Amino acid sequence: MNNSNVFRTIAIVSALIAFGAGVGIYTAQKQRAQIPPQIEGLMWPEAKTLLPFSTIDQDGMEFGLQNLQGKWSFLFFGYTNCPDICPITLSVFNQVYENLGVEHANDTQMIFISVDPERDTSERLRDYVNYFNKDFIGLGGSVEQIKSLTGQLGIPYFPHEVSADGDYLVDHSASIFLINPEAELIAVLSAPHQTNDVSSRFLKIKAFFEK
Amino acid sequence: MLKLNSILVILMTFQVIALSANPDSIQIRDVWISETPPGVSKNAAYLKIENTGNKTIILQSVDSPDFERVEIHRSVVKDDKVSMQLQSELEIEPHSVFQFSPGDFHLMLIKPSKRMRSGDISSLNLNFLTAGKFSVDAEVKKLQSEHAHHH
């Protein structure tokens, strides 16, 4: 082996070592980036991919899986005649949405899903969500349509017995469900909900996914 | 003997009075009703009841001229599910403040005679065992997220 061959071999081996080290560092960084931040309620990497579903929005239009794709969605399940937890949570939604500002609000949607198909018509849902914010979405439909979404997310709801005057209450989920733009359920935020806490957890989760 | 009986009756009467909650020991404040979106037939009312006396006071029922009926409820979150628990009555311990707040204890005001708007004033009648009826004014306000109950 002459000198030039020795140098060539050294150069090739050095290049391979450097490449290997580079790949190693890159892989390590990539792995680090995949370690989820410590955020209460975050389900990553065990995110649940949503399946197609069919509901009706506040304008009477069909709303399905494709309407969740490409946006961050906050979901809350309740009913319009709910006097306490539902209006509180929608007030929190409104405050979170307002606090996000234009930069984040453009790719974020706040969605209220009725678990009281008997009483919550599209018109009623429109009046209801508009009261909190004109941009909010209200979903309903038939029992089967509502179940196409609640079933796959495991959302509990139980109507109480109907009273003498025809009125009834409904027990329902108290959590906020966060769906990412790939239509995966990535976080479940438990009640009680505080505006600042919901906003900061959302922004941390979003930053992690957009890294 | 008759005299002894009379004394006994008088003594017993005093005892009953001593056991009864004194209306002066009940203070009701920070009363408000949450405005509802259009079409909703249930409002919630929140308030504080202070018992400054030495006896437990018992809130038995509430009514209002502006609503068909009023129920005492508590929102309870368990295993991520919220349920309403109807309270038949509430006991308020001596020297304590009982707080009704969003996401917790509240008065459920059912079927308003008209939609209550922010700024409207309604009235609530709180009926206590022995202490009797207390009427208070309640202003209708828009629910703010800051009102939410802090656990």
Side-chain angles (χ1 to χ4, degrees):
Chain A
M1 193 184 273
N2 61 26
N3 270 356
S4 68
N5 275 350
V6 169
F7 280 126
R8 198 185 313 156
T9 308
I10 290 169
I12 290 168
V13 169
S14 304
L16 281 173
I17 290 168
F19 177 73
V23 167
I25 290 165
Y26 176 77
T27 310
Q29 277 176 345
K30 187 93 173 142
Q31 275 168 354
R32 260 203 303 278
Q34 292 306 310
I35 295 170
Q38 292 293 311
I39 301 169
E40 204 190 325
L42 179 63
M43 295 165 70
W44 192 260
E46 276 86 41
K48 183 181 170 60
T49 303
L50 266 67
L51 302 170
F53 64 92
S54 167
T55 57
I56 303 295
D57 76 6
Q58 74 280 1
D59 298 318
M61 306 297 283
E62 197 175 316
F63 188 104
L65 187 66
Q66 68 283 1
N67 300 96
L68 293 180
Q69 287 160 342
K71 286 198 168 192
W72 289 87
S73 305
F74 285 75
L75 269 53
F76 184 72
F77 297 81
Y79 64 114
T80 65
N81 243 330
C82 158
D84 188 48
I85 294 283
C86 301
I88 294 168
T89 309
L90 283 166
S91 296
V92 169
F93 266 20
N94 182 46
Q95 207 56 54
V96 168
Y97 190 74
E98 295 286 321
N99 289 352
L100 287 178
V102 181
E103 183 199 346
H104 295 290
N106 279 344
D107 63 356
T108 307
Q109 50 191 3
M110 313 305 262
I111 305 172
F112 175 76
I113 304 103
S114 170
V115 291
D116 185 11
E118 194 73 29
R119 292 180 292 192
D120 288 341
T121 59
S122 293
E123 296 75 34
R124 199 179 166 121
L125 280 165
R126 186 176 56 227
D127 285 347
Y128 189 76
V129 293
N130 276 351
Y131 172 79
F132 295 96
N133 194 303
K134 302 272 183 245
D135 290 345
F136 286 8
I137 295 164
L139 301 181
S142 67
V143 174
E144 290 70 31
Q145 285 176 310
I146 289 166
K147 281 201 172 143
S148 70
L149 184 56
T150 57
Q152 57 174 310
L153 289 172
I155 307 297
Y157 64 97
F158 305 101
H160 285 214
E161 225 170 273
V162 179
S163 66
D165 60 0
D167 192 33
Y168 58 92
L169 297 167
V170 185
D171 289 354
H172 56 91
S173 158
S175 303
I176 294 172
F177 296 79
L178 184 64
I179 313 287
N180 72 10
E182 282 77 51
E184 296 168 320
L185 170 66
I186 50 149
V188 179
L189 313 181
S190 300
H193 306 298
Q194 305 295 336
T195 300
N196 291 341
D197 174 55
V198 172
S199 300
S200 73
R201 280 199 271 174
F202 168 59
L203 290 175
K204 275 185 212 158
I205 291 170
K206 193 179 181 206
F208 168 67
F209 276 90
E210 290 178 351
K211 230 186 255 176
Chain B
M1 194 62 197
L2 187 67
K3 204 171 178 185
L4 185 63
N5 271 350
S6 305
I7 291 168
L8 268 176
V9 166
I10 290 167
L11 279 176
M12 280 166 74
T13 310
F14 271 120
Q15 202 174 13
V16 168
I17 290 169
L19 281 172
S20 306
N22 178 356
D24 294 339
S25 65
I26 299 175
Q27 286 185 16
I28 299 166
R29 54 176 193 272
D30 302 337
V31 192
W32 64 283
I33 295 174
S34 65
E35 186 188 74
T36 58
V40 175
S41 61
K42 281 196 197 83
N43 295 65
Y46 307 100
L47 63 148
K48 287 189 188 108
I49 302 174
E50 182 167 9
N51 179 3
T52 57
N54 297 317
K55 308 281 177 216
T56 296
I57 57 172
I58 297 172
L59 177 65
Q60 290 191 300
S61 66
V62 183
D63 58 79
S64 167
D66 298 315
F67 296 87
E68 206 171 281
R69 64 177 202 278
V70 179
E71 294 176 352
I72 307 167
H73 277 266
R74 185 179 196 184
S75 296
V76 178
V77 177
K78 197 179 170 217
D79 300 330
D80 280 341
K81 184 168 72 76
V82 59
S83 58
M84 290 287 184
Q85 295 186 351
L86 179 67
Q87 315 285 312
S88 55
E89 57 182 29
L90 284 182
E91 283 189 13
I92 301 158
E93 300 293 316
H95 305 290
S96 72
V97 178
F98 193 95
Q99 187 156 350
F100 291 79
S101 51
D104 198 0
F105 282 97
H106 57 279
L107 298 178
M108 194 188 286
L109 314 178
I110 301 161
K111 296 193 178 168
S113 51
K114 65 172 179 70
R115 186 178 168 221
M116 310 287 283
R117 305 299 295 264
S118 182
D120 288 351
I121 305 285
S122 179
S123 67
L124 300 173
N125 303 317
L126 286 80
N127 306 304
F128 293 93
L129 181 71
T130 68
K133 181 165 110 174
F134 279 67
S135 294
V136 289
D137 282 347
E139 188 181 343
V140 179
K141 294 180 185 176
K142 238 179 135 105
L143 184 71
Q144 302 292 321
S145 57
E146 294 76 46
H147 286 141
H149 179 65
H150 293 255
H151 283 268

